[in-house]
Structure formats: structure tokens, C-alpha cells
Amino acid sequence: MKKVFAIIAFIAGIALVLAITFQTQEARGLKTTSFSKPVPSIPDSVMKIFQKSCIDCHSSDGSGMAKGKVNFDKWQTYSPEKQTSKAKDICEEVTKVSMPPKGFRKNNPDLVPTEAEIKIICVWSQTFQK
């Protein structure tokens, strides 16, 4: 009986040590980031463009490949580094006219971002790098 109790106590001790060790830095109030200021979120002006031109594919309900590249439903869960990288990529893709894809552009010309909207997206993406 003493051996069983000793084994249970030993396992409980290991579990406690592991729980404390693997506690996240954020939960302990030690949140660290490589950025000196908070990473900007998506402002309404940019989100309107994304809702018009991007969200149908780049959301949790979107296509597998598209939402794998960027999923706006999960944007706030991305690390600051990932948000910065994705924002830069978004600007590049809409500027190169790679996004939205050719088929979408042909079938939905009214949903394609205008030059002014592309500029708004790219100005927003630059806020991540300051």
C-alpha cells in the first residue's frame, strides 16, 4: 500500500512540475515580443476591402488552399511576426494582381480591388514594419 501511495505521489509531483514548467509566458505575465509596440489590427477601412474581395475564400468557410495561406477569421490568433509577414504578402499579391485569382476577377469584376483599395491595403501593411 505504501508503494502505491509513493508512486501516486511521485506521478502527481511530476505532473505538477510539468504543469508549472509548460505554463505559457503570457499566463505568467511575461509576454514578450520582438516588437516595441503592439501590432496593428485590421482597421475597418481595410476589412471592408477584404470582406468584398477576399473573405469568401480566406476565412474558415473558404477553400482549403486559400484559408491555408491566410484565414482572416484567425487573424488575431497569428503571432505578431506572422501578421507582419502575411500583411506584407497580401500587399504583394494584390499589387502583382495575383489575388484575387484570374477566374474570380473574370466572374466578379465588381469585387476586384481598385487601385485606390490596393493602396489602402499596402499602406496598412506598412504599419506592421514600423
Side-chain angles (χ1 to χ4, degrees):
M1 185 68 171
K2 288 182 181 181
K3 282 186 179 183
V4 173
F5 179 73
I7 292 171
I8 292 172
F10 179 74
I11 292 172
I14 290 174
L16 180 62
V17 169
L18 288 174
I20 292 169
T21 303
F22 291 110
Q23 185 181 28
T24 65
Q25 287 183 345
E26 189 172 320
R28 288 188 271 157
L30 300 173
K31 185 175 180 184
T32 58
T33 179
S34 61
F35 296 93
S36 58
K37 61 182 181 178
V39 175
S41 62
I42 303 174
D44 290 341
S45 59
V46 176
M47 187 51 82
K48 279 184 175 180
I49 300 165
F50 290 159
Q51 286 173 333
K52 176 184 96 168
S53 305
C54 311
I55 296 286
D56 283 348
C57 296
H58 292 280
S59 68
S60 296
D61 295 331
S63 70
M65 186 183 299
K67 70 182 175 185
K69 295 286 184 181
V70 65
N71 184 338
F72 290 109
D73 289 340
K74 296 184 177 188
W75 183 264
Q76 294 303 327
T77 67
Y78 291 170
S79 69
E81 294 83 2
K82 187 171 182 177
Q83 286 183 357
T84 299
S85 174
K86 294 296 182 185
K88 179 181 172 235
D89 292 347
I90 291 166
C91 174
E92 288 176 9
E93 294 297 319
V94 295
T95 300
K96 291 187 315 188
V97 192
S98 299
M99 282 287 133
K102 193 184 321 181
F104 180 90
R105 291 172 174 279
K106 182 180 176 186
N107 295 326
N108 305 284
D110 54 320
L111 301 180
V112 175
T114 65
E115 287 297 320
E117 290 171 330
I118 291 170
K119 185 172 183 162
I120 290 169
I121 291 169
C122 291
V123 167
W124 163 75
S125 76
Q126 292 169 359
T127 65
F128 285 81
Q129 294 153 31
K130 293 183 181 177

